[in-house]
Amino acid sequence: MKPPPFEYHDPGSVGEAIALVGRYGGEARLLAGGQSLVPLLNFRLANPAALIDLNRIGELSYIREQDGQVRIGAMTRQRAIECSTIVQQRIPLLAEATRMVGHLPTRTRGTIGGSIAHADPAAEYPCVVRALGGTMVVRSAGGERGIDAAQFFQGFMSTAIGAGEMLDEVRLPVAERGAGWAFEEFSLRRGDFALAGIAAMVVADDERCISARIAACAVGEIPLRLEQVESILRESALSVRTVDEAAKCAAEQVRPEGDIHATADYRRHLVRVLVRRAVTRAAERSRAIGR
Amino acid sequence: MAQPRKVRLTINGSVREASVEPRRLLVDFIREELGLTGTHIGCEHGICGACTVLFNGEAVRSCLMFAVQANGAEVTTVEGLAQGNELHPLQQAFWENHALQCGFCTPGMLIAACDLLRANPSPTEEEIRDGLAAVLCRCTGYQGIVEAVKAAAGKLRS
């Protein structure tokens, strides 16, 4: 058999799951959709004492709008997010990014919480969460706390989820009125890991850019919010020259590493191209909504 | 070693029950315990898509699930597509459009295409290519496969 042996638990509630997390200390892994963890098990790169399978916990799967936010349960499938009218209408950037998460058969199982807790630097969801300033709600036996996206991603596949805690819910602010969006990424084959990706949300009228939120994935250990790029765009007329200046700045800000798929320089080049495309498309959408 | 657990599922319409170790992958369970070898194993880490099956009606990679997770589920494999001697319209279209050469990816292609056409009965060529990007074929160059799915979509709609 490919995976190493492990104890298996499939709790029916979050309370039971948290009790198990506490019982195993750091020795157990939570199994969400399994689209990243099971390959690691099959390769025996992960060797947990136990798997705590969250798939029977129905209470972790929901999408609802509340207090200007969309709240998504950690075990909500990517496919459910892709098809959700709330997501399409209230956080369209997330809907667009979801279509680039793996493939249809992996989105059937894959979950938003699993992707964010796994924190692969090339993943789309952490990048969207970072761009929009989302909040991750984690729960433990002692209660719950919210962690801002700026503090949540701490290093390569490493997050602020503490011992005895589990990710419970992801909260994303509803897109502001008139905001345009775009998620642009480049991968060698459709559905592969991105070599670089850019999430953009822009509010613009015919004269100027009112606000911009830009984040990058696959070009650093964690998803990066590109605040300097945002400030170049803000209040500008979004001329071709300004957008290119912002794109150039983005390429300087990111910290890609080279690997067998692409050199660091090539990834920087991609960032420049993708920022230009994403900002242009998001701004066009914003202007079209405003008209 | 973890204690074996009982799994009871409906596969291609018949109820089967077995006792499995929790680390048993669904694809190995389907092939070895249930004897349904139509589902193929390629990469075993979720890249190639040869092991795609329908899980409660939706396409999943069966190498990325454990058999214990299929308890109570309805699973359809390539063996469940034909009705007796009559091929499923997708299978017929694959035959007519030369959509396979070695046939290794075909079970995964057929199942992925089933889910694609269920969700979107009239896909554009780009949507077909996007939907089938989840399954790798190393022989056909995909053209015949895309043609077959187009043809089957027409037949399934009528």
Side-chain angles (χ1 to χ4, degrees):
Chain A
M1 268 183 249
K2 293 205 97 186
F6 48 77
E7 294 295 325
Y8 176 78
H9 301 276
D10 55 344
S13 70
V14 175
E16 282 172 54
I18 287 170
L20 284 162
V21 170
R23 193 169 107 199
Y24 279 98
E27 300 302 308
R29 290 292 295 266
L30 292 167
L31 176 62
Q35 304 301 292
S36 302
L37 179 55
V38 180
L40 291 176
L41 291 165
N42 287 355
F43 281 128
R44 300 204 174 196
L45 292 171
N47 193 4
L51 280 192
I52 303 167
D53 185 347
L54 306 176
N55 283 279
R56 281 208 312 126
I57 308 181
E59 61 181 301
L60 280 177
S61 182
Y62 55 86
I63 301 171
R64 52 175 174 253
E65 194 180 338
Q66 196 180 328
D67 309 325
Q69 292 175 320
V70 175
R71 300 182 170 191
I72 306 178
M75 281 298 290
T76 307
R77 309 280 176 198
Q78 291 151 8
R79 192 165 179 171
I81 292 169
E82 186 178 355
C83 300
S84 155
T85 7
I86 295 180
V87 173
Q88 284 161 11
Q89 291 172 358
R90 310 306 258 164
I91 20 176
L93 177 63
L94 183 68
E96 184 166 304
T98 301
R99 287 191 284 276
M100 292 175 211
V101 178
H103 303 280
L104 188 69
T106 64
R107 294 197 292 272
T108 302
R109 294 293 295 173
T111 64
I112 186 169
S115 173
I116 288 173
H118 187 61
D120 189 306
E124 291 83 1
Y125 280 164
C127 185
V128 169
V129 162
R130 190 73 182 86
L132 298 182
T135 304
M136 270 50 73
V137 179
V138 298
R139 242 155 92 172
S140 67
E144 62 168 54
R145 66 184 177 115
I147 309 170
D148 190 276
Q151 280 82 47
F152 185 81
F153 301 101
Q154 297 199 328
F156 180 75
M157 287 168 129
S158 149
T159 70
I161 302 174
E165 289 182 326
M166 64 175 267
L167 182 58
D168 185 64
E169 184 179 85
V170 179
R171 296 181 183 170
L172 290 165
V174 167
E176 45 194 308
R177 249 183 112 163
W181 68 95
F183 196 98
E184 288 280 350
E185 71 173 38
F186 185 83
S187 57
L188 293 176
R189 286 176 300 263
R190 192 71 169 248
D192 274 10
F193 287 108
L195 297 182
I198 297 292
M201 200 162 83
V202 172
V203 183
D205 59 22
D206 284 333
E207 273 110 57
R208 66 195 179 103
C209 170
I210 295 151
S211 74
R213 289 170 165 274
I214 316 284
C217 64
V219 284
E221 291 199 331
I222 54 172
L224 304 168
R225 179 85 183 267
L226 300 174
E227 277 155 2
Q228 233 170 296
V229 178
E230 294 172 3
S231 65
I232 294 174
L233 295 170
R234 210 175 298 125
E235 298 303 325
S236 83
L238 290 174
S239 66
V240 174
R241 217 171 125 192
T242 313
V243 172
D244 194 50
E245 187 197 332
K248 212 173 134 196
C249 169
E252 285 158 10
Q253 297 276 297
V254 296
R255 304 188 293 273
E257 281 189 33
D259 59 21
I260 58 165
H261 303 295
T263 62
D265 279 350
Y266 181 56
R267 284 175 199 255
R268 276 186 205 282
H269 166 76
L270 287 175
V271 165
R272 186 167 171 180
V273 173
L274 295 174
V275 165
R276 210 156 45 203
R277 285 185 193 165
V279 169
T280 307
R281 203 152 60 82
E284 275 166 13
R285 269 181 168 149
S286 177
R287 291 192 196 104
I289 295 165
R291 264 176 220 133
Chain B
M1 196 179 93
Q3 284 301 310
R5 297 192 24 149
K6 205 157 257 176
V7 176
R8 189 185 156 89
L9 78 169
T10 307
I11 188 151
N12 302 329
S14 49
V15 178
R16 303 285 294 268
E17 202 176 292
S19 187
V20 294
E21 212 188 320
R23 62 172 167 151
R24 188 68 145 168
L25 295 172
L26 179 58
V27 68
D28 291 328
F29 176 72
I30 289 171
R31 288 175 56 89
E32 291 169 26
E33 256 93 348
L34 304 182
L36 296 167
T37 52
T39 302
H40 290 167
I41 304 180
C43 69
E44 293 185 87
H45 61 275
I47 301 296
C48 78
C51 69
T52 308
V53 300
L54 293 179
F55 185 83
N56 293 330
E58 295 181 319
V60 301
R61 297 191 182 316
S62 59
C63 73
L64 296 187
M65 284 187 68
F66 297 106
V68 288
Q69 296 183 296
N71 192 33
E74 244 179 71
V75 175
T76 305
T77 65
V78 69
E79 289 94 337
L81 293 183
Q83 299 285 325
N85 285 330
E86 198 180 324
L87 292 178
H88 185 279
L90 268 164
Q91 290 172 309
Q92 187 70 36
F94 265 55
W95 184 1
E96 288 165 3
N97 291 276
H98 312 290
L100 60 146
Q101 286 181 31
C102 86
F104 193 86
C105 71
T106 310
M109 281 290 180
L110 287 167
I111 296 288
C114 267
D115 191 17
L116 171 72
L117 294 184
R118 190 185 54 88
N120 180 2
S122 314
T124 61
E125 174 160 343
E126 188 175 349
E127 285 167 338
I128 293 173
R129 286 184 181 274
D130 188 33
L132 297 182
V135 188
L136 299 180
C137 170
R138 302 289 80 169
C139 319
T140 62
Y142 300 99
Q143 195 55 40
I145 296 172
V146 173
E147 292 304 326
V149 174
K150 260 192 234 167
K155 209 169 270 176
L156 284 163
R157 278 195 309 269
S158 61

